[in-house]
Amino acid sequence: MNKEFIEIRWHGRGGQGAITAAKIVAAAAFVSGYAGVVMAPSFGTERRGAPVMTSLKISREKIYDLSPIETPDIIVVLDHLLLNESDVTCGLKPGGIIVLNTPNAVESYKFINYRMAIADITAISVEAGLPHGMVNTGIIGSLERATSLLGMDILIKGIEEEFSSRRPQNNSSAAKIAFERTVARG
Amino acid sequence: MHIIENGNVAAALGVLLCRANVIAAYPITPQTPLTEKLSEYVESGEMKAEYIPVESEHSALAVCIAASSAGARAFTATSANGLLYMHEQVQWAAGARLPLVMCVVNRAVGAPWNVWNDQQDSISQRDTGWIQMYCCDHQQIIDSVIKAYWLAEKVSIPIMVCYDGYILSHTYMPFEVPDQEKVDAFLPPFRPDYALNHEEPANLNTVTLPDVRMDVRGEIAHGYMEIRYLLQEEMRTSLTVVAEAEKRFTDIFGRGGDPFIEPYLCDDAEYIAVGLGSLTYQLRVSVDVLRKEGIMVGVMGIRFYRPFPDVAIANALKGKKGVIVFEKALSYGYEGALVSDLKSALYEHLAGTGALPVVQNFILGIGGRDIRTEDLTQTLRAATKSRVAKEPVWIGLKI
């Protein structure tokens, strides 16, 4: 993966917090020295439960192109059932990474040409003391495990700041457990 | 301090830093998060202002007109049909010479209903007597709001700070939030020559006859035409005040540039793409691609649409082979409003000099149609080879 310019597309459901997760990673990237970070949600059709996505571009230079990502390096999927509902891998670069929250085993996925990093974030988050269905901080741990992009320390700090008044320790612990338990393939 | 936030928050922080006294607004997508943020600042006490919820955009601007007439620094914001519903008061605010600042979060106008970005809303208000600024990123949004208050209060002309709906309003990126002390140094408190005052009552903007006549003090008062002439004259001379604002801003905040146009690789370019807003930053990426192919192209964003910086534009385009104007709006029945204005400036300043470029017009992104960088690159590449058409050409049309 070219670490000078990285395109990550996040897929979740309205209310799952994909935008907040992308924002945490964006802020961590900026603090890490990426001068260009642009996070652009898909617009206009946000409803609780409906598929939503957001684009995150990370670059060493200021980003002038705010158009949606067409060929992501990484896709992050907060709900494995989205794989059946929409074409979430659309445009993913060959050799690109799918970071997936799923209770299923990695062997049950038959993607060719893509790397996978999976964890049961839904269960991990409950274990970390979060309400059922809160998965947006846990998935950050899996993303970092799959990419070694920013380092866990800065992400943990970002998570605890973002959730300073809403279970900061549980949220950061979800990310830490997910980092440990993420299974990679490819 | 740098933060990562969306464009609506950048605008709200600008208004907070400018210590606006009165905010009246009616929510409309994609402006809503801006006014929600301001209401939070007021509710939490962070902002010492009156937040006046109203039942329509027309009332929002009416409240701002009243507040400004009473000497308050007032703010509103809207989009699309909200701006159109406000239109009567938009004209009034300019005629009354009130230094209001309004963010227009650009969105397509109905019918048919559409919440996504184009610039038909603010472009359709071109002739109302407001100054119009266009922003390309969040730094320009927050800085433009601050500059706008200084400029508006200096020239007594209201200002629209326009930025692309969703593309900027809902997108997160880093920007620097200026220090309050610096903003206070830049922008003194609003002290109008006259503010409504019960101890010194006055009638403002009552029926004004076609011709001049004696006023109550026995002095010859302007007729309607003189008042409107002065709006035009002072709008034109405000170009020099714009330059003054930019210099003052640069001195205090350490960033700035040409206040009227924002050129990228234009000096040695043979062809120049022109537009308003975030699109001109996206075009930089296409320019970079085409430069690698040896095509001498640059891009120029226009920061002020009214007053129209005709001299700066003509100077920048003088002697170029071609000018390619990209617009997210048009004057139905002819062509894009910007291209008409631009051709008028070129004719005025360059006709007969042999330095008149060929001008082409492309319409794109209407109603939020995706603007793909690849499409921009292809369009620019073709437009530098030959004139595609005399009529405006729509990019990405599926008809």
Side-chain angles (χ1 to χ4, degrees):
Chain A
M1 191 175 64
N2 170 10
K3 288 194 178 175
E4 297 303 301
F5 183 65
I6 306 137
E7 295 181 297
I8 308 174
R9 196 172 60 211
W10 303 67
H11 296 265
R13 295 188 185 278
Q16 261 191 322
I19 288 174
T20 303
K23 206 177 129 187
I24 291 167
V25 175
F30 184 69
V31 173
S32 304
Y34 285 96
V37 292
V38 165
M39 198 271 281
S42 60
F43 306 132
T45 53
E46 298 85 354
R47 282 168 293 125
R48 204 159 271 273
V52 295
M53 62 180 184
T54 186
S55 287
L56 173 61
K57 300 181 187 180
I58 297 173
S59 170
R60 294 287 177 197
E61 314 274 330
K62 178 177 168 68
I63 295 170
Y64 289 97
D65 185 347
L66 307 181
S67 62
I69 292 174
E70 291 188 32
T71 56
D73 301 286
I74 302 160
I75 59 167
V76 180
V77 186
L78 275 69
D79 177 352
H80 66 109
L81 294 174
L82 287 167
L83 292 173
N84 309 328
E85 289 176 36
S86 54
D87 188 9
V88 296
T89 58
C90 177
L92 183 61
K93 288 190 181 99
I97 306 171
I98 301 169
V99 178
L100 179 65
N101 168 26
T102 178
N104 303 324
V106 73
E107 294 75 29
S108 60
Y109 294 98
K110 308 291 179 208
F111 291 108
I112 302 163
N113 290 334
Y114 298 140
R115 294 158 61 200
M116 290 202 74
I118 70 162
D120 188 352
I121 306 289
T122 306
I124 287 169
S125 301
V126 171
E127 191 183 323
L130 292 172
H132 183 80
M134 268 210 65
V135 296
N136 63 339
T137 44
I139 200 90
I140 293 173
S142 292
L143 172 66
E144 178 56 27
R145 180 64 177 266
T147 60
S148 306
L149 188 59
L150 300 169
M152 277 302 277
D153 291 350
I154 202 157
L155 291 166
I156 293 298
K157 189 161 172 282
I159 289 169
E160 290 179 356
E161 277 171 16
E162 176 67 30
F163 290 89
S164 57
S165 59
R166 293 169 292 163
R167 309 172 200 262
Q169 304 306 325
N170 306 87
N171 276 293
S172 60
S173 133
K176 286 176 198 162
I177 301 171
F179 181 83
E180 295 304 326
R181 298 218 193 129
T182 296
V183 176
R185 185 187 69 188
Chain B
M1 183 187 62
H2 277 84
I3 63 166
I4 295 177
E5 261 301 345
N6 63 51
N8 279 327
V9 171
L13 284 167
V15 177
L16 172 72
L17 288 166
C18 288
R19 303 185 188 276
N21 308 115
V22 172
I23 297 150
Y26 189 81
I28 181 168
T29 300
Q31 157 264 38
T32 307
L34 160 56
T35 47
E36 285 175 345
K37 188 52 86 176
L38 287 170
S39 69
E40 284 170 26
Y41 294 153
V42 174
E43 177 70 16
S44 70
E46 194 177 347
M47 189 170 186
K48 304 274 180 284
E50 287 287 329
Y51 187 98
I52 302 174
V54 285
E55 83 295 351
S56 75
E57 288 85 359
H58 187 279
S59 298
L61 195 51
V63 166
C64 288
I65 286 169
S68 186
S69 302
R73 185 172 282 159
F75 178 80
T76 190
T78 190
S79 298
N81 289 53
L83 179 59
L84 306 187
Y85 192 37
M86 200 186 259
H87 178 73
E88 185 238 359
Q89 295 289 298
V90 170
Q91 299 265 7
W92 191 274
R97 302 298 298 271
L98 296 169
L100 301 170
V101 172
M102 164 160 68
C103 283
V104 177
V105 188
N106 289 118
R107 161 183 159 177
V109 299
W113 201 241
N114 178 297
V115 300
W116 293 275
N117 169 246
D118 67 33
Q119 295 172 338
Q120 192 67 33
D121 51 0
S122 57
I123 294 294
S124 77
Q125 305 300 304
R126 180 189 67 173
D127 301 337
T128 54
W130 284 56
I131 291 171
Q132 286 195 357
M133 302 167 75
Y134 285 81
C135 306
C136 297
D137 65 13
H138 297 7
Q139 195 66 60
Q140 290 187 358
I141 293 173
I142 189 168
D143 290 353
S144 294
V145 167
I146 296 167
K147 288 175 199 172
Y149 273 110
W150 187 87
L151 177 61
E153 290 168 12
K154 201 82 176 167
V155 298
S156 296
I157 295 172
I159 301 185
M160 293 182 199
V161 175
C162 309
Y163 56 93
D164 291 308
Y166 289 120
I167 296 170
L168 292 177
S169 69
H170 284 57
T171 293
Y172 290 72
M173 66 172 78
F175 59 92
E176 194 196 329
V177 181
D179 294 337
Q180 182 69 62
E181 302 77 56
K182 285 187 177 176
V183 177
D184 290 342
F186 177 78
L187 180 68
F190 176 40
R191 296 274 181 264
D193 292 339
Y194 175 79
L196 280 176
N197 172 359
H198 63 88
E199 288 172 358
E200 194 191 336
N203 289 318
L204 299 179
N205 301 303
T206 51
V207 174
T208 302
L209 299 180
D211 212 340
V212 299
R213 63 162 184 168
M214 296 281 198
D215 67 10
V216 288
R217 290 184 294 273
E219 292 164 3
I220 295 291
H222 292 321
Y224 180 90
M225 198 154 99
E226 285 68 31
I227 289 170
R228 286 285 162 168
Y229 167 80
L230 288 173
L231 175 57
Q232 161 68 0
E233 279 301 291
E234 288 163 27
M235 183 77 115
R236 291 303 297 166
T237 54
S238 74
L239 284 163
T240 58
V241 190
V242 170
E244 192 188 330
E246 188 70 14
K247 185 179 181 310
R248 188 179 159 82
F249 190 91
T250 309
D251 289 346
I252 292 176
F253 297 95
R255 62 174 170 270
D258 188 314
F260 307 114
I261 55 172
E262 196 175 9
Y264 176 69
L265 300 181
C266 285
D267 285 349
D268 63 347
E270 295 173 345
Y271 298 87
I272 296 185
V274 176
L276 296 165
S278 64
L279 173 64
T280 59
Y281 272 9
Q282 190 180 355
L283 277 160
R284 290 184 179 202
V285 179
S286 295
V287 164
D288 287 341
V289 170
L290 295 172
R291 283 275 175 159
K292 285 190 186 122
E293 297 174 13
I295 299 173
M296 298 303 279
V297 61
V299 58
M300 183 175 87
I302 294 178
R303 304 290 317 283
F304 277 79
Y305 183 44
R306 283 292 181 276
F308 195 60
D310 56 316
V311 174
I313 289 169
N315 283 341
L317 301 179
K318 186 179 180 181
K320 303 297 181 190
K321 285 185 183 165
V323 176
I324 303 131
V325 182
F326 291 86
E327 293 187 73
K328 294 182 185 177
L330 75 164
S331 175
Y332 284 92
Y334 193 34
E335 60 186 1
L338 172 61
V339 79
S340 292
D341 289 336
L342 181 137
K343 285 194 286 195
S344 158
L346 296 183
Y347 180 85
E348 176 61 30
H349 298 287
L350 303 179
T353 64
L356 208 50
V358 173
V359 179
Q360 301 185 69
N361 188 202
F362 291 91
I363 306 297
L364 77 173
I366 300 297
R369 175 66 60 86
D370 272 350
I371 299 174
R372 297 176 63 247
T373 307
E374 175 59 27
D375 293 342
L376 293 177
T377 308
Q378 280 182 23
T379 302
L380 263 182
R381 191 187 287 117
T384 57
K385 289 202 173 107
S386 62
R387 192 175 192 191
V388 177
K390 282 187 182 173
E391 301 285 315
V393 176
W394 294 56
I395 300 176
L397 195 63
K398 296 172 183 171
I399 207 163

